[in-house]
Amino acid sequence: MVESVNSPGYYGRSGILETHVRGQWYRVFVTLEDDYLSITLDETYENTTTLNGTLNNNIETPSGLSDTPDVPDSVANQKRMVRVVKSDNNGLGISIKGGKENKMPILISKIFKGMAADKTEQLYVGDAILSVNGEDLREATHDEAVKALKRAGKVVELEGKNNRE
C-alpha cells in the first residue's frame, strides 16, 4: 500500500510503502524522480539511513536502541575525534539523517546498543558527523555521507560535534 505525501520538502512522486524483506516487514519512504527511485527506511519521513550491517541482524526494538541523548557536559559543543572499530560482518551501528539537500548537517539519529559505535561510549544521538577518516562531510549530501561511511573500512575515525541546545 502506498500513501501519498504532499509536503513542500518532497519533489516528484513520493509515499510510504510497506515491503517484506528477508522475512520482516518494513515501512519505507519511496520517491520517484525523473532519473532514479529512492527507497529509505521510514523514520517519521526523515531522510535517514541505517549503517548497521544486515537488516536481519539489527531489527529496531525499543530495547535495542540508544536514542535518548544524555550528553556529558565535557563533550557538549566540543569537536572530538572518535575511533570506531567495526567487528566482522557488522557495520557501525548507527543511523544518520540530514545532508546538504536538507539544509542540515549529517546527524546521528540512532545508535544501536552493543554495536561498534555504542561500544565506544563516545558518540551520541544528535552528534553532527563532520568528517570520516579525514573526508570532510560538512557540505555533503545524505548519499555522499552514506557512501563515505560505507567505504570507511574496519577502523573508522569520526570527527563529531554535539550541539547541545
Side-chain angles (χ1 to χ4, degrees), residues 12-143:
R13 291 165 281 185
S14 59
I16 301 298
L17 174 70
E18 291 183 2
T19 184
H20 195 258
V21 179
R22 297 181 183 159
Q24 180 72 29
W25 284 97
Y26 294 90
R27 283 178 53 111
V28 294
F29 182 72
V30 180
T31 304
L32 178 61
E33 299 293 345
D34 290 337
D35 56 346
Y36 67 92
L37 176 70
S38 170
I39 301 174
T40 307
L41 280 176
D42 171 32
E43 299 193 33
T44 64
Y45 306 13
E46 295 174 352
N47 189 6
T48 305
T49 299
T50 300
L51 300 165
N52 65 333
T54 64
L55 291 174
N56 276 3
N57 291 342
N58 299 294
I59 304 303
E60 294 182 23
T61 60
S63 62
L65 295 177
S66 293
D67 58 4
T68 307
D70 189 14
V71 181
D73 291 339
S74 61
V75 298
N77 302 310
Q78 300 292 320
K79 286 183 189 176
R80 62 196 186 286
M81 293 300 295
V82 178
R83 175 177 283 197
V84 182
V85 181
K86 296 189 273 187
S87 60
D88 294 335
N89 302 318
N90 280 314
L92 290 169
I94 62 173
S95 292
I96 62 169
K97 66 180 180 179
K100 184 177 180 178
E101 71 276 24
N102 298 305
K103 297 180 175 74
M104 62 188 294
I106 302 299
L107 299 172
I108 296 175
S109 59
K110 286 188 173 50
I111 299 175
F112 292 82
K113 287 192 188 299
M115 302 246 350
D118 182 51
K119 288 179 181 177
T120 69
E121 298 181 350
Q122 297 177 61
L123 293 169
Y124 304 91
V125 170
D127 280 355
I129 300 176
L130 306 176
S131 70
V132 176
N133 290 349
E135 182 179 343
D136 192 340
L137 297 183
R138 288 172 181 86
E139 295 295 319
T141 65
H142 185 83
D143 287 342

